[in-house]
Amino acid sequence: DKWLNTAFDVYRRDPENLKASGQTWKEWLKINVGIHDSYARQLRKIATLFGDFPRFKALGLSFAEIYQRRNQIYSLLLDNIMYEY
C-alpha cells in the first residue's frame, strides 16, 4: 500500500535520477506500474489516509467507493480513535 508513496518520495527527492533515464514520473508509472498518474495520486492519497488502519482492507469496499467517501470515512475513524481515549 505504501510502496507507491515510497517510490514517489524517492522521485521527489531526486527527480534528475528518472530524467537521466529519459523518463518522467508519468512515464515511469505507465511503464513500470501500468497505471496513469491520476490513478496513482488517488492510490497514494488512500494509502496516506488509511495506511495506519491495517484492518481497513478487510472491509471489502470497492476502491471507487473508498475514494469517493474518503473524507467521511477518515472522519469516522478519527472520531473512533478520539472516543477510545
Side-chain angles (χ1 to χ4, degrees):
D1 7 59
K2 295 187 179 185
W3 290 109
L4 198 54
N5 278 337
T6 301
F8 184 71
D9 288 343
V10 168
Y11 167 73
R12 193 172 30 187
R13 275 185 260 132
D14 188 12
E16 297 304 316
N17 190 22
L18 267 183
K19 289 180 184 175
S21 69
Q23 293 178 335
T24 65
W25 172 248
K26 291 179 184 184
E27 292 167 336
W28 184 87
L29 279 171
K30 188 69 176 160
I31 293 167
N32 294 287
V33 185
I35 60 175
H36 291 279
D37 66 314
S38 58
Y39 186 57
R41 277 192 302 275
Q42 292 176 349
L43 290 170
R44 289 190 351 256
K45 180 68 173 176
I46 295 303
T48 299
L49 289 174
F50 304 124
D52 292 334
F53 301 97
R55 291 179 32 187
F56 186 77
K57 295 177 196 173
L59 290 177
L61 299 172
S62 71
F63 180 78
E65 187 170 358
I66 292 169
Y67 191 77
Q68 180 182 5
R69 299 175 185 271
R70 66 191 178 279
N71 294 330
Q72 180 184 11
I73 295 168
Y74 190 70
S75 292
L76 290 170
L77 290 170
L78 286 181
D79 286 347
N80 191 38
I81 289 172
M82 298 302 289
Y83 181 73
E84 289 178 3
Y85 292 105

